DNA sequence: TAAGTGAGAGCGAACATTCGCTCCGGAAAG
DNA sequence: CTTTCCGGAGCGAATGTTCGCTCTCACTTA
């Protein structure tokens, strides 16, 4: 009962100066929680991070935190959703590409660069493994993939119509491979492992060019199914 | 106090008949624990799965289980190590390849097929995210990568000497990209998403051929650095 | 008999969540 | 303009549960 001033201090301090509406303040607090939670999740994983850690990180009591999110699970979902939307911003290149090859190369580089700069590879890895057992996270991840697929599909379809791609190639397979590759490149965060972006671009472009023009470049076998493991399927 | 026979049953049942030494029995129990733990980890993640769940899954009491593994962490490490060794078995192709292209294609397909058949994609995803915060798991994963890299490197180096690969390409970058791609393909478990293996092989071969012969196939720009994002590095 | 093995109760700690409470800004009432 | 009142915001102790792990003791086997 003696230090009533304590409450005043902690309550007023974290907010920046200036008048703001209730809703603005609320949004601000939510962002504060999400940022703190993201740090904790990157550090300890979705399951390893505790609500108490998140409380410490954002300077809130559990009671306060639960006024903004009804459960830990809901924070996880919000984080995943935010990360998904953030990652979508770097695929604007796909809307006005010079060609299918250039569109894919630029998108790949942009994706890699974005993941590297935001340091979101650990969170992405966490999302990927969580999506294998958590329904909500799986929906978010799949929705994300579907959005990207919806951007790539017309790009490749247009390229097929313009004769830039061998029409024999299965579009479904091609898209699955392209997206898997993008994922593998992003999750490995090559720039932070010392891979130079210009070198990376050279290899990626060569690879994509080869992928989109499969016939006429293989060693001697121009015909449809080239041997080795074709018996599985 | 009335059904003492129950305990006898649960204790003797899980072991198969026939005389066996103590060491044999011990190995058998360890395998039983590891298999149970793997199921639990795939279902709930390393952090989400509890020792009690593992106990139920392998029909053991905690006291018994802790006789074989000193901690949950040690089980995680053992699982990762076993998975790593298991996964290495499918890269035998890289030792006697017809060519760099064929070696990589066959290795990729074998890797994808192996991951698909063993259903080890979820465990792999879990390992990947755990490796970002767990020292021991990181060492295992990195060791695994290094082993694969050590198999791929001479393959590509030999190909360079034989003139199969453009010497301008940076070997380090090429290896990083190749391995990232393999990871992306395996973690996505394309066969279970309806991608046919023969179609996959066509796309992969075209891609690898393009990657290993970057010059002379790009559209008009044979020279070293082809434009777009080259300013980063 | 001596060593190995397993069951299951139990440990303290940590977990996600809830509780009762105080505080504060602003609207309503006087 | 003052007073009253309301509800959002915040606190931190406390809830019951579950965690990884240990202990004791009975049983089996060589």
């Amino acid at each position: 009962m003696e230090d009533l001033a304590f409450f005043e201090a902690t309550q007023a301090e974290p907010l920046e100066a200036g008048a703001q509406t209730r809703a603005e303040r609320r949004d601000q607090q939510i962002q504060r929680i999400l940022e703190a939670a993201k740090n904790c999740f990157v550090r300890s994983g979705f399951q390893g991070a505790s609500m108490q850690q998140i409380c410490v990180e954002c300077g809130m009591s559990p009671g306060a935190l639960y006024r903004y999110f009804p459960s830990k699970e809901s924070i996880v979902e919000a984080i995943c959703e935010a990360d998904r939307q953030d990652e979508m911003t770097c695929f604007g290149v796909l809307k006005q590409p010079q060609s299918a090859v250039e569109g894919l190369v630029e998108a790949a580089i942009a994706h890699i660069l974005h993941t590297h700069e935001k340091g979101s590879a650990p969170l992405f890895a966490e999302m990927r493994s969580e999506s294998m057992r958590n329904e909500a996270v799986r929906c978010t991840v799949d929705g994300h993939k579907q959005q990207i697929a919806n951007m790539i599909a017309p790009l490749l379809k247009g390229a097929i119509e313009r004769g830039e791609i061998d029409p024999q190639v299965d579009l479904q397979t091609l898209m699955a491979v392209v997206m898997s590759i993008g994922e593998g490149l992003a999750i490995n965060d090559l720039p932070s492992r010392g891979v130079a972006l210009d070198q990376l671009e050279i290899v990626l472009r060569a690879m994509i060019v080869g992928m989109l023009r499969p016939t006429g470049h293989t060693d001697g076998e121009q015909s449809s199914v080239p041997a080795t493991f074709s018996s599985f399927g």
Side-chain angles (χ1 to χ4, degrees), chain A residues 14-15 43 46 59 63 66 79 106 109-110 121 135 137 144 159 162 176 192 213:
Chain A
L15 298 173
R43 198 187 308 128
F46 289 143
Y66 271 89
I79 292 266
E106 288 183 31
I109 294 284
E135 182 73 19
V137 175
H144 186 196
R162 270 179 274 117
S192 78
R213 306 204 162 179

Side-chain angles (χ1 to χ4, degrees), chain A residues 24-218:
Chain A
E24 280 173 349
R25 183 191 157 83
R26 191 173 172 83
D27 285 351
Q28 207 170 328
Q29 294 289 68
I30 287 178
Q31 284 311 312
R32 192 150 69 101
I33 293 171
L34 287 180
E35 192 159 341
K38 190 171 161 185
N39 292 338
C40 290
F41 289 154
V42 166
R43 198 187 308 128
S44 315
F46 289 143
Q47 313 198 63
S50 72
M51 291 298 266
Q52 323 249 356
Q53 285 170 2
I54 298 175
C55 286
V56 170
E57 182 91 16
C58 70
M60 262 186 207
S61 66
L65 200 156
Y66 271 89
R67 270 190 197 282
Y68 296 95
F69 291 94
S71 65
K72 183 184 175 182
E73 172 66 24
S74 68
I75 298 182
V76 169
E77 290 172 21
I79 292 266
C80 291
E81 185 61 29
D83 185 74
R84 176 182 84 109
Q85 291 196 353
D86 182 49
E87 195 154 312
M88 283 306 294
T89 61
C90 69
F91 284 111
V93 199
L94 285 172
K95 286 179 179 167
Q96 305 95 15
Q98 306 172 22
S99 67
V101 169
E102 286 311 310
L104 289 181
V105 170
E106 288 183 31
I109 294 284
H111 190 196
I112 291 170
L113 204 58
H114 182 264
T115 304
H116 173 64
E117 284 175 350
K118 293 283 183 96
S120 54
L123 190 63
F124 185 49
E126 188 66 28
M127 281 179 62
R128 275 316 306 262
S129 67
E130 184 70 12
S131 75
M132 306 221 170
R133 61 188 104 95
N134 180 322
E135 182 73 19
V137 175
R138 174 164 55 244
C139 287
T140 301
V141 169
D142 284 355
H144 186 196
K145 279 192 184 172
Q146 198 55 56
Q147 275 184 270
I148 297 178
N150 288 343
M151 299 181 84
I152 293 181
L155 186 72
L156 294 179
K157 220 173 252 175
I160 287 180
E161 287 163 6
R162 270 179 274 117
E164 291 179 28
I165 302 178
D166 175 13
Q168 255 189 334
V169 168
D170 180 45
L171 188 60
Q172 209 77 7
T173 305
L174 187 59
M175 291 224 320
V177 170
V178 164
M179 292 178 60
S180 297
I181 289 175
E183 213 165 281
L185 290 172
I187 218 173
N188 271 286
D189 193 12
L190 297 186
S192 78
R193 296 172 93 95
V195 174
L197 271 184
D198 51 356
Q199 281 290 335
L200 192 54
E201 192 178 345
I202 294 175
V203 174
L204 287 184
R205 178 173 284 105
M207 178 188 90
I208 291 172
V209 167
M211 202 159 48
L212 298 191
R213 306 204 162 179
T215 57
H217 292 301
T218 54

